Amino acid sequence: METRVVRACGDPGADREVMKEAAGIIKAGGLVAIPTETVYGLAGDALNPSSSKKIYEAKGRPSDNPLIVHIAKLKDMERIAEDIPGTAYKLAEKYWPGPLTMILKKKEIVPYETTGGLDTVAVRFPVNMIAREFIEASGGFIAAPSANRSGRPSCTTAKHCLEDLDGKVDMIIDGGEVGIGLESTIIDLTGGRPCILRQGYINEEMLRDALGDVETEAPETEHPKAPGMKYRHYAPKGIMKIVQGEGSHVEEKIIEMVSEHLSREEKVAVISSHEKYQEYLDNFRDRSSVSVYDIGSTEDEDLIAHRLFAILREIDDTGAGYIYSESFDTPRLGKAIMDRLYRAAGHNIIYSD
Ligand code: AMP
Ligand code: MG
């Protein structure tokens, strides 16, 4: 299959031809990668079991890992979910359209192929205009997991999608770089208390604001309610470690570890805050086997979230066998950022003091 990359801009008039073509692909059971405000999605018709099967195949994703169904009208939630609790409407009012996914009881119309065999369905109403035009044009119900191959960092540009999905999807809609760069927050509304299953841009405090009472699933639960959380995610090819500790102990430890690798002529990468970046450069001047990435200032957590996945991909391209990252435990997005980093590192943490 040839994968076509086409541009869209989010203006319904200008995008009309692209959307017509993309919708034709979806209605015929094909796949299209699309931008959203979180990360790029790998889209198929959520109500067509064979489309969902194709998504799993294209991603190389285990079929017990359910897909998120994207809608473009609040009312459409009621066509795919039943016994919808008041909490869902409260959250929708505050945070939809936006980067929040709600787990609800599914209606029969949603095939088990889409929900990974579960009686619940994950529903999201994205804010990105290109995504919304596309969902509307394609019949209103789009299954779209992140567009990366299973286990790889999520895609934040159309180029990343092409790296992972060339020949596996009919079309990639290039809407430029995504805004947020981390996947949606997932909240389960099917139990007693609303429970956060995956951290994201809509953080705990914002959810508490809307609902009052919210619990969080422990990060290393053995049988997580969001089945995807049990898989190793975002895994770079090298061995990755996260260094934690107070102040300058962190860079001292990282410099010490990197120096050991260099003495063995091994390739290393460092993910650095902007504040410590120059210090690594000064230490490893003229050492071509060290790549240091400035992920942004710890004062700018949106930038850190935005750059994280792209940096993990770039590191793979350098062929680094070892990767050291600082910890970015920032106030608003720290939990979401660290969740991705811990998974990327397979929970490999070094304490520097
Ligand atoms: P991704 O689309 O790659 O962001 O992954 C979707 C995530 O949503 C996966 O980790 C799934 O485990 C989770 N998810 C999707 N549907 C459900 C569901 N019905 N119940 C719990 N988690 C879900
Ligand atoms: Mg994913």
Side-chain angles (χ1 to χ4, degrees), residues 106-139:
K106 87 170 186 74
K107 275 191 173 162
E108 213 177 305
I109 188 176
V110 186
Y112 283 113
E113 282 80 357
T114 299
T115 67
L118 297 174
D119 289 315
T120 53
V121 58
V123 189
R124 181 161 108 78
F125 180 175
V127 71
N128 178 286
M129 271 317 294
I130 298 173
R132 285 161 68 173
E133 287 168 7
F134 167 80
I135 297 164
E136 290 239 17
S138 306

Side-chain angles (χ1 to χ4, degrees), residues 39 59 61 65 145-148 151-152 154 183 198 233-234:
V39 295
K59 263 185 82 78
R61 181 175 198 154
N65 189 354
S146 51
N148 53 291
R152 295 263 292 150
S154 298
E183 306 85 344
R198 180 170 74 188
H233 255 67
Y234 322 125

Side-chain angles (χ1 to χ4, degrees), residues 293-309:
Y293 293 85
D294 177 354
I295 197 169
S297 164
T298 50
E299 303 287 316
D300 189 354
E301 41 187 328
D302 291 289
L303 186 62
I304 295 176
H306 179 80
R307 283 191 180 158
L308 177 62
F309 286 134

Side-chain angles (χ1 to χ4, degrees), residues 78-257:
E78 293 162 6
R79 289 184 52 199
I80 53 174
E82 60 191 12
D83 299 340
I84 301 172
T87 45
Y89 291 95
K90 275 192 196 161
L91 287 175
E93 194 186 336
K94 239 178 142 105
Y95 300 122
W96 270 6
L100 177 68
T101 297
M102 302 190 217
I103 308 296
L104 301 166
K105 205 167 145 196
K106 87 170 186 74
K107 275 191 173 162
E108 213 177 305
I109 188 176
V110 186
Y112 283 113
E113 282 80 357
T114 299
T115 67
L118 297 174
D119 289 315
T120 53
V121 58
V123 189
R124 181 161 108 78
F125 180 175
V127 71
N128 178 286
M129 271 317 294
I130 298 173
R132 285 161 68 173
E133 287 168 7
F134 167 80
I135 297 164
E136 290 239 17
S138 306
F141 301 96
I142 290 296
S146 51
N148 53 291
R149 290 273 299 165
S150 195
R152 295 263 292 150
S154 298
C155 302
T156 56
T157 65
K159 182 174 155 277
H160 298 158
C161 296
L162 194 62
E163 278 168 21
D164 281 21
L165 298 174
D166 195 10
K168 296 189 168 66
V169 296
D170 300 278
M171 183 191 258
I172 296 171
I173 299 181
D174 182 353
E177 271 188 40
V178 299
I180 296 176
L182 300 176
E183 306 85 344
S184 60
T185 307
I186 302 180
I187 186 160
D188 181 7
L189 301 176
T190 62
R193 290 167 75 192
C195 181
I196 303 170
L197 305 185
R198 180 170 74 188
Q199 301 283 343
Y201 187 85
I202 307 292
N203 66 18
E204 234 167 285
E205 197 184 321
M206 293 162 83
L207 294 167
R208 235 176 234 121
D209 230 31
L211 302 181
D213 188 32
V214 174
E215 63 180 335
T216 306
E217 188 170 63
E220 286 184 74
T221 311
E222 205 180 319
H223 300 288
K225 282 193 230 150
M229 302 300 270
K230 69 177 178 278
Y231 296 104
R232 185 167 178 219
H233 255 67
Y234 322 125
K237 292 175 189 142
I239 295 171
M240 179 164 169
K241 296 182 180 172
I242 296 168
V243 181
Q244 293 187 333
E246 293 299 320
S248 61
H249 290 291
V250 172
E251 62 263 35
E252 283 161 17
K253 186 75 188 173
I254 290 180
I255 289 164
E256 178 195 319
M257 315 275 290

